[in-house]
């Protein structure tokens, strides 16, 4: 886990998985991966997940921002058209590697998500009663920290795509009946 810019103590939270959002891309259709953010402090945290404009049409993050008292699950989804593109790219790389194994394949640009975590002061909920007040107050806190990076942690998470194993596609072990 990399912390950029902020001085927030990362012992206030735990990410599972800590560095990668792993998607199993084994068939067409949208794919989902879950990141669990656990608040290990007595105070409340708020988070935002930012995606580059280039990747916004390929990924959906739900919820992309929230308040975390204990634990939150963040759902990352790859859209179906992007899954189709990844599978097509995987198949063409596989065909190219069979024909020209000595040539290096050009890798696509790595997709990264920026997870920003904000430490909210203990008095944050003292005067707040409704969900809309909470949302407005959290948004105000995000604007306030523009000059106060000590309350903010920036963590980059990389997307990792796991494709079906070629060995599994090419070889099936014999059943016990076939051995005997």
């Amino acid at each position: 886990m990399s912390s950029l810019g902020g001085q927030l103590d990362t012992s206030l939270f735990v990410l599972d998985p800590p560095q990668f959002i792993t998607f199993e891309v084994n068939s067409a259709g949208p794919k989902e991966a879950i990141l669990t953010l656990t608040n290990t402090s007595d105070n409340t945290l708020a988070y935002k997940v930012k995606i580059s404009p280039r990747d916004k049409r390929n990924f959906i993050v739900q919820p992309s921002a929230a308040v975390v008292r204990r634990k939150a699950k963040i759902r990352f989804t790859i859209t179906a058209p992007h899954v189709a593109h990844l599978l097509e790219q995987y198949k063409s790389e596989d065909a190219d590697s069979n024909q020209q194994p000595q040539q290096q394949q050009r890798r696509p640009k790595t997709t990264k998500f920026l997870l920003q975590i904000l430490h909210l002061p203990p008095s944050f909920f003292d005067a707040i009663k409704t969900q809309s007040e909470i949302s407005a107050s959290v948004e105000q806190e995000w604007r306030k920290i523009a000059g106060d990076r000590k309350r903010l942690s920036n963590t980059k998470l990389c997307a990792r795509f796991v494709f079906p194993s070629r060995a599994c596609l090419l070889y099936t072990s014999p059943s016990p009946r076939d051995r005997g």
Side-chain angles (χ1 to χ4, degrees), residues 28-49:
K31 302 299 173 211
E32 186 177 285
I34 304 289
L35 173 72
T36 303
L37 170 60
T38 304
N39 180 358
T40 57
S41 73
D42 293 333
N43 297 324
T44 303
L45 302 175
Y47 75 85
K48 279 185 181 182
V49 178

Side-chain angles (χ1 to χ4, degrees), residues 63-127:
S64 61
V67 172
V68 181
R69 292 194 174 139
R70 288 289 151 228
K71 189 179 277 193
K73 293 199 181 282
I74 307 168
R75 179 177 297 123
F76 293 79
T77 306
I78 309 175
T79 62
H82 193 56
V83 169
H85 170 75
L86 290 170
L87 285 169
E88 184 178 306
Q89 189 176 17
Y90 170 72
K91 288 175 185 173
S92 73
E93 284 180 6
D94 189 32
D96 288 347
S97 68
N98 288 337
Q99 292 173 3
Q100 301 171 2
Q102 66 274 21
Q103 286 188 350
Q104 285 279 341
Q105 296 296 315
R106 187 172 166 207
R107 288 279 176 219
K109 193 168 186 176
T110 304
T111 299
K112 292 182 182 170
F113 303 98
L114 178 62
L115 175 65
Q116 294 184 310
I117 299 175
L118 171 65
H119 178 82
L120 298 172
S123 60
F124 180 77
F125 290 100
D126 290 350

